Amino acid sequence: MSLSSSTAGDIFTVRAGAEALATLRREGFSADSFSTLLGASGGPKWLVLAWIDRVLARRLVGERTTPLHALGTSIGAFRHAALAQADAPSAIERFAQAYVAQAYHRQPTPAEVTEESRRILDVLFGADGVAQALAHATLRLHVGTARSRGLAAAHRPGALAAGLALAAAANAVSRRLLRIGFERVVFHTTRQPVFSFDDLPTRHAMLGAGNFVQATLASGSIPLVMEAIRDVAGGPPGLYRDGGITDYHFAMDFDAPPGLVFYPHFCDRIVPGWFDKALTWRRPRGGLLDRTVFVAPSQRFIATLPGGKIPDRSDFKTLSTADRQQRWNEVLAKARRLGEALEELLEGTRLADVALPFAK
C-alpha cells in the first residue's frame, strides 16, 4: 500500500525542532544524520509502536554506518533490546506476542508481575539475545533506572506509598526536588557515558552480560506493581525501580551526542517524569528539542483503534484476559498501517513537509 505525504501526515503527528527541520529539508532522511534514539516509558502503550519499530530496525538501525545511541526507560529499554537483536523484526514479534500473552488469574502480587516480566524478557532474548545486543555493530544501548533513596527505598507497601507521596509532593514544587526519593542510574554498553544530566543526581555503570537482564528488568519495575530489583550488578547498591520515575518521557534537557534525535512516541504529549502526569504545566523545555524529530500516532488514527484508545495498564482491570488479548492483537494489526505510513514519510523530505513545531 502506498500513501501520499498528506495521508501519512494525517496518520502521524510529526514535530521537529529548528535544527532538525533544517537538516531534513536540506538532506532528507538519512540514518547517519541521527545519533540518538529515545524510548519512553508507557507499558502497554508500546504496542501501537510495534510496526514503527520494525521500520526503524531497517531504516534507522540497519542503514547506518555510525553508532546510534538508544536511551530508553522501562518499556523503551525493552523495545531497544529487541532492536538490538540480530533478527530484530522476529525479536519484535516475539516480544509483542509474549507481552500480549500476559495473564493473571486475580489481582497479581508484585512478585507475580515481576516473574511475568522475566518471562517476557526470556522470550525476547532466547538463548543468545543478550550476546547479540552487546555485539551489535552500530546500536549502543543506554538503560535508565531509578535508584530509591530515603523513604522511597522502603520494602513495606505502606511505607513505600508514603515515600512515593513525599517524592510526588516535592516534585510538584520542583522537578529537581525529586532527588529526595530517587537518583538516576544509567547502564550503558559504551566504554564511557555519552549522555550527561544535571537535573538530578545521576550515576553511570557499564551494561554487560552479567547485568543486562537485571538492569533491563529494573528499568521497568513499577513501584507497588512490581518488586524492586536489589543491587544491580555493576551499579551502586540499593533498590532499583522503573526508570520512568525520573525520565517518563524525558525532559529533553540533557546533553546527547552530536546529531539529530529520533523520538517515536505513542502520543503527542511529552511528560518529563512519572510524577508529572497530572502536572499539565510541566513540559519539556530542554535544548535537545531543537534537534529532535518526533513522530506519534495522530488522534485521528488513535480514534480508529478498539475502544478509541491505545492500550494501557487500565485494560488489565477493565477487560477480561480474553477480551484484552483480543483487543491488543487488533491494535497490533491496525498498527501495521503506522509502519507503512512511516516508510512513506522517510522518503526524501517528506518528514519536513509535514512536521510541526513543538508546542510552546
Side-chain angles (χ1 to χ4, degrees), residues 195-279:
F195 297 104
S196 176
F197 305 84
D198 64 5
D199 59 336
L200 297 170
T202 301
R203 302 203 212 183
H204 300 269
M206 290 293 295
L207 185 64
N211 65 2
F212 196 102
V213 173
Q214 193 184 23
T216 305
L217 185 63
S219 186
S221 294
I222 306 168
L224 300 175
V225 176
M226 294 175 62
E227 295 178 321
I229 305 302
R230 177 179 289 279
D231 299 339
V232 177
L239 297 180
Y240 289 74
R241 304 186 191 275
D242 196 307
I245 294 172
T246 55
D247 301 290
Y248 191 56
H249 300 164
F250 303 102
M252 310 302 287
D253 57 353
F254 54 93
D255 291 332
L260 301 187
V261 177
F262 201 95
Y263 191 175
H265 199 24
F266 34 76
C267 66
D268 191 27
R269 183 187 173 203
I270 300 176
V271 180
W274 197 48
F275 295 113
D276 297 326
K277 288 183 281 187
L279 309 182

Side-chain angles (χ1 to χ4, degrees), residues 170-208:
N171 176 79
V173 175
S174 169
R175 178 168 154 78
R176 290 181 176 272
L177 293 179
L178 184 58
R179 67 184 59 212
I180 70 169
F182 299 95
E183 71 173 1
R184 179 190 292 111
V185 182
V186 180
F187 293 84
H188 50 85
T189 59
T190 52
R191 292 185 179 180
Q192 299 293 331
V194 302
F195 297 104
S196 176
F197 305 84
D198 64 5
D199 59 336
L200 297 170
T202 301
R203 302 203 212 183
H204 300 269
M206 290 293 295
L207 185 64

Side-chain angles (χ1 to χ4, degrees), residues 21 42 52 60 84 112 148 196 207 219 250 271 276 289-290 323:
L21 186 59
I52 290 174
L60 185 63
E112 289 172 320
S148 298
S196 176
L207 185 64
S219 186
F250 303 102
V271 180
D276 297 326
L289 286 174
D290 190 52
D323 287 346

Side-chain angles (χ1 to χ4, degrees), residues 78-100:
F78 283 44
R79 290 172 49 224
H80 292 167
L83 283 173
Q85 302 301 292
D87 183 353
S90 294
I92 294 165
E93 177 65 20
R94 291 196 307 273
F95 178 32
Q97 293 308 315
Y99 197 89
V100 170

Side-chain angles (χ1 to χ4, degrees), residues 7-332:
T7 302
D10 287 341
I11 293 172
F12 277 109
T13 295
V14 179
R15 298 190 184 276
E19 181 180 340
L21 186 59
T23 301
L24 290 175
R25 286 173 174 166
R26 183 176 64 249
E27 303 174 6
F29 174 83
S30 170
D32 282 335
S33 294
F34 293 85
S35 67
T36 302
L37 173 67
L38 294 182
S41 301
K45 299 180 180 73
W46 89 271
L47 293 170
V48 79
L49 302 178
W51 283 92
I52 290 174
D53 284 351
R54 287 170 170 85
V55 174
L56 296 180
R58 182 171 63 84
R59 298 297 306 276
L60 185 63
V61 179
E63 294 182 357
R64 64 185 308 107
T65 61
T66 58
L68 178 68
H69 296 279
L71 174 62
T73 58
S74 195
I75 206 68
F78 283 44
R79 290 172 49 224
H80 292 167
L83 283 173
Q85 302 301 292
D87 183 353
S90 294
I92 294 165
E93 177 65 20
R94 291 196 307 273
F95 178 32
Q97 293 308 315
Y99 197 89
V100 170
Q102 290 180 81
Y104 306 99
H105 297 297
R106 60 189 185 282
Q107 179 66 33
T109 65
E112 289 172 320
V113 179
T114 300
E115 185 58 33
E116 189 70 351
S117 297
R118 290 184 188 275
R119 178 194 67 82
I120 292 169
L121 286 177
D122 285 345
V123 173
L124 168 57
F125 291 133
D128 59 353
V130 170
Q132 291 175 20
L134 293 173
H136 197 281
T138 57
L139 194 58
R140 308 290 185 261
L141 300 181
H142 305 259
V143 176
T145 67
R147 179 177 171 271
S148 298
R149 307 173 75 177
L151 194 56
H155 288 281
R156 292 185 295 107
L160 174 57
L164 294 173
L166 180 62
N171 176 79
V173 175
S174 169
R175 178 168 154 78
R176 290 181 176 272
L177 293 179
L178 184 58
R179 67 184 59 212
I180 70 169
F182 299 95
E183 71 173 1
R184 179 190 292 111
V185 182
V186 180
F187 293 84
H188 50 85
T189 59
T190 52
R191 292 185 179 180
Q192 299 293 331
V194 302
F195 297 104
S196 176
F197 305 84
D198 64 5
D199 59 336
L200 297 170
T202 301
R203 302 203 212 183
H204 300 269
M206 290 293 295
L207 185 64
N211 65 2
F212 196 102
V213 173
Q214 193 184 23
T216 305
L217 185 63
S219 186
S221 294
I222 306 168
L224 300 175
V225 176
M226 294 175 62
E227 295 178 321
I229 305 302
R230 177 179 289 279
D231 299 339
V232 177
L239 297 180
Y240 289 74
R241 304 186 191 275
D242 196 307
I245 294 172
T246 55
D247 301 290
Y248 191 56
H249 300 164
F250 303 102
M252 310 302 287
D253 57 353
F254 54 93
D255 291 332
L260 301 187
V261 177
F262 201 95
Y263 191 175
H265 199 24
F266 34 76
C267 66
D268 191 27
R269 183 187 173 203
I270 300 176
V271 180
W274 197 48
F275 295 113
D276 297 326
K277 288 183 281 187
L279 309 182
T280 56
W281 67 88
R282 185 70 59 80
R283 298 180 180 179
R285 302 191 183 278
L288 197 63
L289 286 174
D290 190 52
R291 47 191 176 106
T292 294
V293 178
F294 173 96
V295 295
S298 69
Q299 286 300 316
R300 180 177 299 182
F301 175 83
I302 291 172
T304 70
L305 298 177
K309 70 178 188 69
I310 57 178
D312 59 47
R313 286 198 298 119
S314 71
D315 294 343
F316 286 108
K317 297 180 178 180
T318 61
L319 300 171
S320 68
T321 296
D323 287 346
R324 174 185 56 78
Q325 291 174 342
Q326 179 180 348
R327 177 175 288 191
W328 285 9
N329 278 319
E330 290 176 9
V331 169
L332 284 170

